[in-house]
Amino acid sequence: MKKKVIVSGLFLIMLFCVASVANASIMTSDYINDYYAKVNAYSGGNLDISFNVQAPNTMDKLGVKTIILQERIAGSTTWNPVHTFSYKNDSGMLKNRALSHDYTVSYYDAVPGRSYRAKVYFYAEKGGSDTIECITSAVKAK
């Protein structure tokens, strides 16, 4: 019985190690080391979407190409897009010749009581390129 418990325990440890290695390889990028994005809610229906991205070395272009702000009405499970931010309309979202980049965009029409989150598409380019999608935690508009 004791032998079965030990063997089962070792099997579970091995299984978790393999899953961790598989997950790490999915998240690996030659262009992006680290990234985060966050939505902050302020009174009057104002939201800020902030992001930071780090590269392993200086990139030709680094930042975010697109941010899709999504809204969920109380009681619903569906997230609906309400606004799209693009580097084409806001040149500050993407930086040239950068090792890191942080920036904030603002949205002023949030409905108090509704939840908001953002889909953020991080981008880095140097010889090749990579895009990583990140979905922020939700916040309630004030």
Side-chain angles (χ1 to χ4, degrees):
M1 180 67 178
K2 190 174 185 178
K3 191 174 188 178
K4 286 183 182 181
V5 171
I6 292 172
V7 170
S8 296
L10 289 173
F11 175 75
L12 288 173
I13 290 170
M14 208 169 69
L15 181 65
F16 289 123
C17 289
V18 169
S20 295
V21 170
N23 191 30
S25 66
I26 292 170
M27 307 250 328
T28 300
S29 171
D30 292 334
Y31 304 93
I32 298 172
N33 274 358
D34 197 17
Y35 57 92
Y36 85 88
K38 183 177 182 178
V39 179
N40 288 310
Y42 302 99
S43 62
N46 298 325
L47 302 175
D48 280 349
I49 301 109
S50 303
F51 68 82
N52 179 276
V53 58
Q54 307 283 325
N57 52 55
T58 301
M59 294 288 126
D60 293 336
K61 294 183 182 185
L62 182 67
V64 167
K65 277 198 164 182
T66 306
I67 298 172
I68 301 171
L69 183 64
Q70 297 177 318
E71 175 188 73
R72 186 180 72 198
I73 298 170
S76 175
T77 59
T78 305
W79 288 97
N80 297 308
V82 292
H83 189 79
T84 300
F85 299 89
S86 172
Y87 76 100
K88 293 177 182 177
N89 300 321
D90 186 342
S91 61
M93 290 173 58
L94 208 55
K95 193 173 182 181
N96 294 320
R97 304 281 310 145
L99 182 61
S100 67
H101 184 43
D102 58 312
Y103 193 71
T104 301
V105 296
S106 299
Y107 181 74
Y108 302 105
D109 295 324
V111 178
R114 292 188 183 173
S115 295
Y116 292 85
R117 72 179 188 185
K119 275 189 176 182
V120 180
Y121 294 90
F122 292 95
Y123 179 78
E125 176 183 307
K126 184 174 185 174
S129 66
D130 196 7
T131 302
I132 296 176
E133 177 189 275
C134 169
I135 298 176
T136 68
S137 298
V139 298
K140 278 200 180 192
K142 301 177 185 178

